[in-house]
């Protein structure tokens, strides 16, 4: 039988590269979650004007994302949820506005609107 060499664990488990360690979240970053919720709540009205609603809710989404590592994680998730909903509404509203501007057609027939308003 041939002699086998014993390989030590240190020889097998050589470190390849060290992974970057995430930076500590500064304590004042917990306020980002509050700002995210605030911008999400303002987005409830701002989505009606896409030029205001899209940047506002996108900013709230980014702030909520950055606040996920803080103790106010649940608040950050709530803010992100609000911002996503109203960002989608603002983009849809903006798209409808562009469609109406480009084609010159209305999305809803005015006769249908008049019939609905009479009832």
């Amino acid at each position: 039988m041939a002699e086998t060499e014993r390989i030590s664990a240190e020889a097998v488990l050589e470190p390849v590269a060290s992974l970057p360690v995430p930076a500590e979240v500064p304590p004042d970053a917990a306020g980002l979650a509050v700002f995210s919720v605030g911008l999400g709540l303002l987005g409830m009205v701002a989505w009606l004007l896409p030029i205001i609603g899209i940047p506002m809710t996108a900013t709230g989404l980014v702030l909520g994302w950055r606040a996920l590592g803080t103790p106010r994680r649940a608040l950050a998730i709530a803010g992100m949820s609000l911002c996503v909903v109203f960002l989608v509404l603002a983009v849809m509203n903006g798209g409808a506005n562009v469609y109406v501007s480009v084609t010159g057609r209305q999305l809803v027939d005015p006769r249908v609107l008049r019939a609905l308003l009479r009832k």
Side-chain angles (χ1 to χ4, degrees):
M1 213 156 91
E3 236 179 89
T4 59
E5 289 184 32
R6 260 200 127 156
I7 301 174
S8 67
E10 292 90 21
V12 174
L13 300 173
E14 294 176 10
V16 177
S18 63
L19 295 174
V21 178
E24 289 293 321
V25 177
D28 61 338
L32 296 177
V34 176
F35 282 120
S36 176
V37 169
L39 289 174
L41 291 174
L42 288 174
M44 295 173 93
V45 176
W47 73 271
L48 295 170
L49 294 171
I51 197 162
I52 295 171
I54 291 173
M56 182 183 296
T57 53
T59 303
L61 187 62
V62 170
L63 291 178
W65 184 267
R66 297 222 23 219
L68 283 177
T70 65
R72 295 184 178 176
R73 179 180 172 85
L75 199 59
I77 292 172
M80 288 175 54
S81 302
L82 283 171
C83 288
V84 164
V85 167
F86 294 113
L87 179 63
V88 168
L89 285 174
V91 168
M92 287 173 44
N93 189 16
N97 289 338
V98 168
Y99 173 78
V100 169
S101 297
V102 169
T103 63
R105 297 173 51 193
Q106 295 182 354
L107 293 176
V108 179
D109 189 10
R111 292 175 289 182
V112 174
L113 287 177
R114 274 187 243 124
L116 288 173
L117 291 175
R118 284 186 201 150
K119 292 182 180 183

